[in-house]
Amino acid sequence: MEKGLDEVNLKILDILQRDARTPVKQIAAEVCLSSPAVSARIERMEQENLISGYQVKLNYHQFGYFIKAFINLEVEPKQKPEFYPYIKSVPNVIECNCVTGDYAMLIEVAFRKTEELDRFINELQRFGKTHTQIVFSTSVEHRNVPVLLQHGNAGKQDE
């Protein structure tokens, strides 16, 4: 097992992934430990970087971001020192990954209007050729890592 991951820790992680706001007292009841013991385990997993943070998931549409797109971008290795600071500075970039294949980068973005997306793509093209796909719908949203899957509990994290 990975560092510090026993069955109890895996169960705690599964609970926190489903709802990071689950009270420690409730987690403790589910894993049959005291609240201080659960708090100590969570703190240890944070220190070991098994838990890297807690986030609120916003509904982009409620904030007017109706255009979601994935952009493939060719970036030459020599351009990366200029590209990385630029892409980190763009607030509409949800995620940027260096990937294999014909394109070096896969960028997920959200914009309010297609005109804003168009301006961004024009800016990106100084780094190389782009290929853009606009999302019509999403059948599977971002999901959590199935930590219990490896232990015969497949599917239980979504129940």
Side-chain angles (χ1 to χ4, degrees):
M1 229 171 262
E2 297 295 318
K3 55 182 169 179
L5 285 180
D6 59 12
E7 290 292 330
V8 173
N9 283 357
L10 290 172
K11 181 66 177 166
I12 292 170
L13 290 172
D14 185 57
I15 293 166
L16 289 173
Q17 280 195 116
R18 282 187 271 132
D19 183 359
R21 296 183 67 192
T22 304
V24 171
K25 186 175 181 177
Q26 182 179 333
I27 297 170
E30 288 189 44
V31 299
C32 301
L33 289 177
S34 68
S35 293
V38 169
S39 292
R41 283 173 176 259
I42 291 171
E43 186 176 324
R44 195 170 335 118
M45 289 188 284
E46 289 170 347
Q47 290 170 351
E48 293 174 354
N49 205 28
L50 293 167
I51 298 172
S52 62
Y54 302 88
Q55 294 181 324
V56 172
K57 184 179 176 192
L58 299 178
N59 180 336
Y60 295 137
H61 288 149
Q62 294 296 324
F63 293 89
Y65 291 91
F66 298 105
I67 310 299
K68 179 178 176 180
F70 291 92
I71 304 166
N72 290 295
L73 172 67
E74 285 183 3
V75 177
E76 296 295 324
K78 65 183 179 198
Q79 293 176 294
K80 287 181 180 181
E82 179 187 353
F83 172 75
Y84 285 132
Y86 166 75
I87 205 70
K88 287 177 183 178
S89 74
V90 180
N92 298 78
V93 172
I94 297 168
E95 191 167 335
C96 178
N97 297 284
C98 186
V99 297
T100 62
D102 294 334
Y103 295 89
M105 298 293 161
L106 176 61
I107 307 163
E108 181 180 356
V109 296
F111 286 93
R112 291 188 162 107
K113 301 177 185 175
T114 54
E115 294 85 6
E116 294 171 354
L117 173 61
D118 185 44
R119 279 193 298 276
F120 176 67
I121 292 168
N122 287 335
E123 289 177 25
L124 269 184
Q125 289 175 341
R126 75 177 195 225
F127 295 104
K129 180 180 161 191
T130 62
H131 177 80
T132 303
Q133 298 170 304
I134 295 176
V135 175
F136 289 142
S137 64
T138 302
S139 58
V140 177
E141 279 288 332
H142 173 82
R143 28 178 181 201
N144 299 317
V145 176
V147 295
L148 294 177
L149 195 65
Q150 62 188 350
H151 294 82
N153 295 324
K156 295 210 177 177
Q157 68 272 9
D158 294 325
E159 290 179 358

